[in-house]
Amino acid sequence: MTRLFNDPAAFADEALEGFTAAHRRWVRPVTGGVVRATATPAGQVAVVIGGGSGHYPAFSGLVGRGLAHGAAVGNVFASPSARQIHSVATAAHAGGGVLLMYGNYAGDVLHFGQAAERLAADGVETRTFAVADDISSAGPEESAKRRGIAGDLPVFKAAAAAAEQGLPLEEVLRVAERAGARTRSFGIAFSGCTLPGADHPLFTVPEARMAVGLGIHGEPGIGEEALPTADEAARLLVETLLKELPEDVADPAGERAAVILNGLGSVKYEELFVVYRRVAALLGDAGVEIVDPEVGELVTSFDMAGISLTLTWLDDRLEELWRAPADTPAYRKGALDAAEPDLARASVTAAAQDTAVPAAPVVPAASDASRGAAETVLAALDAVARVVGAHADELGRIDAVAGDGDHGIGMRRGSTAAHRAAADAHGLGAGAGTVLTRAADAWADKAGGTSGALWGTILRSLGTALGDRDAPDAARVAEGVTDASAAVRRLGGAEVGDKTMVDALVPFADALAAATAEGLSLADAWDRAATTATAAAAGTADLLPRRGRARPHAEKSLGTPDAGAHSLALITRAVHGALLDHH
């Protein structure tokens, strides 16, 4: 378990602060993460990676020459927000465009995609690439749905080495695609991980058993088997990966592969070496030539007791990039000439950050009626933060049945930040629309992850509909909720029946629109819609997930409602109470 922490909510920020203090030769801090401390040649493509905390040395430990130019760092097991990614990418950009790289998880896809849109709006040519190497999370016919685990490293490194050679953005992206298509990973675990402040692991494995096919966010495995010996574990890993070769590899004999035996947090290096001796022998028996193997902790999951094996099948070009030198805090290969610190860019970045937030924040002008409505909005957001806080542990338990168990933590961070931002805006005389949009940005920024992106979208849609000029009536609120429902489906790609938040949001929005059309007051219409949402959320217990981290563990989630749908139902009921109090 994680024993050394202060406030669990501050763990990720404090860890990043300590990391940068310890590694100033390689990295410097920027808002949202870190970038190289050394100068990047003008015109070079910037490879910016990122993901949640809890995976060190991924992602911040892989920033340095020969590897990433920057890393956006989210909260524990939660993707960084679009604003964080945009900030890091802006600081890392050297004029050659930006390639954003991350593991294939819904929250990362959403936030990195939004950041790419913002960078493009700034005039920065940007591409994205999601690593999807975990063969246990989807079959070959659905490889695009696979999770990104320890295969992150060879794919990141291939793209970064290509960027170091001065290749243009499109060619760097093609290298990433080639490396991703030829990378496969598979893992096993003997116990789950425990998040800072938690008193139990996200999942447990019965005595003398192991979980097979696991993720790196505390997700349980897709199955269980008897606890193996080291040689038996090696055989399982190797044989599983050799069953699925890249399309252009007919036989492993005579092929070259970069090999990574990765420790997930608490398996000792000596144990890894015992396993690797057999991995190397089995690959040799299959005729595979191993190129520059890595044995150690490369992509972890806090204190999870587990290991994974990654094979990247090399051609001449990929071997050149895999062997290329790199110098980062946690990963070094070959030798590089000494580099000068990037003092000029560091001073520019520092100056920009010093002026990024005005000393006296201003808000758009608002009517008295809208400022009055903002008081109700603030009360509603207070109710949201309170109900989420009261149910955070329950939401985490629900999420951990087939997911990573962090839904309650993320929702608490997001709702608390949203209420705080709303209170600040209200104190400055903001109208209802501005109060909601400020809350939206804070929720997305502090929560990260899928829920952060989606709840930021919900609040922003409501804020846009309400505006700052008039007192919003029931019809306008219903219109904003309908817009939010459409925006969430568009952004996340989920529909009713996928076992997501959408299964409660769409019925809620439809019921609210129908009730207001009948002429009901906002409080009465909201009451009816909240009842509909509660029933719909409960009904998700009978569904199999078709999206998100729970999808690989679909059967395990039967009988348990979706955490996102359940939290939305709780929130709609809490908001109804605030509407009654401010009727």
Side-chain angles (χ1 to χ4, degrees):
M1 62 183 297
T2 307
R3 298 176 176 84
L4 295 174
F5 55 88
N6 297 307
D7 177 0
F11 183 88
D13 290 339
E14 292 181 350
L16 185 63
E17 182 182 351
F19 165 77
T20 56
H23 297 293
R24 295 197 181 280
R25 180 164 78 85
W26 291 277
V27 301
R28 58 183 173 87
V30 297
T31 300
V34 296
V35 296
R36 292 184 187 180
T38 54
T40 298
Q44 185 175 108
V45 172
V47 174
V48 175
I49 63 176
S53 297
H55 305 303
Y56 191 85
F59 295 88
S60 54
L62 303 179
V63 174
R65 289 189 301 154
L67 242 163
H69 295 74
V73 182
N75 279 301
V76 175
F77 288 178
S79 66
S81 70
R83 184 159 59 176
Q84 289 175 296
I85 300 162
H86 177 270
S87 169
V88 173
T90 300
H93 183 229
V98 173
L99 176 59
L100 301 176
M101 303 186 71
Y102 46 90
N104 190 31
Y105 297 90
D108 295 282
V109 172
L110 293 177
H111 286 288
F112 277 90
Q114 290 176 329
E117 292 174 356
R118 296 183 188 183
L119 288 163
D122 294 343
V124 177
E125 189 177 8
T126 306
R127 300 291 183 271
T128 65
F129 185 78
V131 180
D133 59 302
D134 174 26
I135 67 171
S136 71
S137 54
E141 71 284 354
E142 294 185 305
S143 59
K145 295 182 179 179
R146 289 176 168 174
R147 302 176 290 209
I149 52 175
D152 283 354
L153 174 61
V155 181
F156 291 168
K157 188 176 187 304
E164 292 280 3
Q165 293 177 348
L167 297 183
L169 180 58
E170 290 299 334
E171 291 189 35
V172 174
L173 174 60
R174 281 196 289 273
V175 166
E177 292 170 340
R178 175 70 170 167
R182 295 173 69 88
T183 298
R184 308 282 190 276
S185 298
F186 184 71
I188 58 177
F190 317 109
S191 70
C193 58
T194 304
L195 302 182
D199 58 4
H200 59 276
L202 292 177
F203 72 89
T204 57
V205 180
E207 193 73 23
R209 303 284 288 176
M210 70 173 174
V212 177
L214 54 114
I216 57 169
H217 298 93
E219 305 99 324
I222 59 173
E224 286 182 5
E225 294 185 13
L227 188 68
T229 65
D231 284 0
E232 290 168 344
R235 181 172 296 279
L236 173 65
L237 295 171
V238 171
E239 289 183 349
T240 301
L241 289 180
L242 290 184
K243 288 177 182 176
E244 188 188 316
L245 302 174
E247 291 183 0
D248 55 352
V249 176
D251 189 320
E255 295 289 336
R256 293 160 288 169
V259 178
I260 298 174
L261 183 63
N262 177 59
L264 282 158
S266 63
V267 175
K268 304 303 295 181
Y269 271 69
E270 286 86 349
E271 294 176 272
L272 292 173
F273 292 137
V274 170
V275 174
Y276 184 74
R277 53 174 270 288
R278 189 59 182 156
V279 167
L282 290 168
L283 289 173
D285 290 345
V288 178
E289 178 187 345
I290 297 173
V291 178
D292 281 5
E294 297 286 348
V295 179
E297 293 184 346
L298 285 309
V299 180
T300 62
S301 184
F302 265 117
D303 61 336
M304 183 187 290
I307 59 176
S308 65
L309 181 66
T310 297
L311 301 181
T312 297
W313 298 93
L314 303 172
D315 54 22
D316 290 344
R317 180 71 172 122
L318 289 178
E319 179 175 351
E320 174 193 1
L321 299 171
W322 175 242
R323 290 185 182 275
D327 184 26
T328 78
Y331 184 87
R332 297 164 205 171
K333 179 177 286 190
L336 289 163
D337 295 335
E340 294 298 320
D342 193 3
L343 299 177
R345 286 175 63 84
S347 62
V348 170
T349 301
Q353 291 177 342
D354 287 343
T355 59
V357 179
V362 296
V363 298
S367 68
D368 290 341
S370 184
R371 284 196 293 269
E375 196 168 319
T376 302
V377 170
L378 181 61
L381 289 169
D382 179 49
V384 169
R386 289 177 183 276
V387 75
V388 168
H391 291 270
D393 290 344
E394 173 196 4
L395 295 172
R397 286 193 298 273
I398 293 173
D399 189 37
V401 170
D404 55 16
D406 69 344
H407 184 70
I409 295 172
M411 290 291 289
R412 180 163 51 197
R413 278 195 302 254
S415 60
T416 300
H419 177 249
R420 187 180 301 119
D424 290 344
H426 180 258
L428 293 169
T434 295
V435 167
L436 279 165
T437 54
R438 296 284 174 92
D441 288 342
W443 193 315
D445 201 35
K446 293 300 182 183
T450 306
S451 65
L454 298 183
W455 275 100
T457 296
I458 289 171
L459 296 185
R460 179 165 289 279
S461 296
L462 279 168
T464 301
L466 267 56
D468 291 328
R469 297 190 60 180
D470 304 313
D473 57 17
R476 186 176 297 181
V477 173
E479 178 186 346
V481 172
T482 298
D483 291 345
S485 174
V488 164
R489 282 177 286 168
R490 184 171 59 252
L491 180 64
E495 293 294 343
V496 172
D498 286 344
K499 195 166 186 172
T500 69
M501 169 205 286
V502 167
D503 288 294
L505 177 58
V506 170
F508 174 76
D510 291 347
L512 185 64
T516 55
E518 292 176 18
L520 270 64
S521 68
L522 178 58
D524 289 343
W526 196 282
D527 182 28
R528 180 189 294 182
T531 299
T532 300
T534 300
T540 61
D542 299 326
L543 299 176
L544 289 172
R546 297 200 293 250
R547 289 185 173 272
R549 292 179 187 171
R551 185 186 53 78
H553 316 286
E555 297 294 337
K556 291 185 177 182
S557 76
L558 272 178
T560 302
D562 176 71
H566 184 55
S567 60
L568 186 139
L570 290 172
I571 285 171
T572 60
R573 181 51 62 193
V575 170
H576 177 247
L579 292 175
L580 288 177
D581 291 342
H582 287 75
H583 186 61

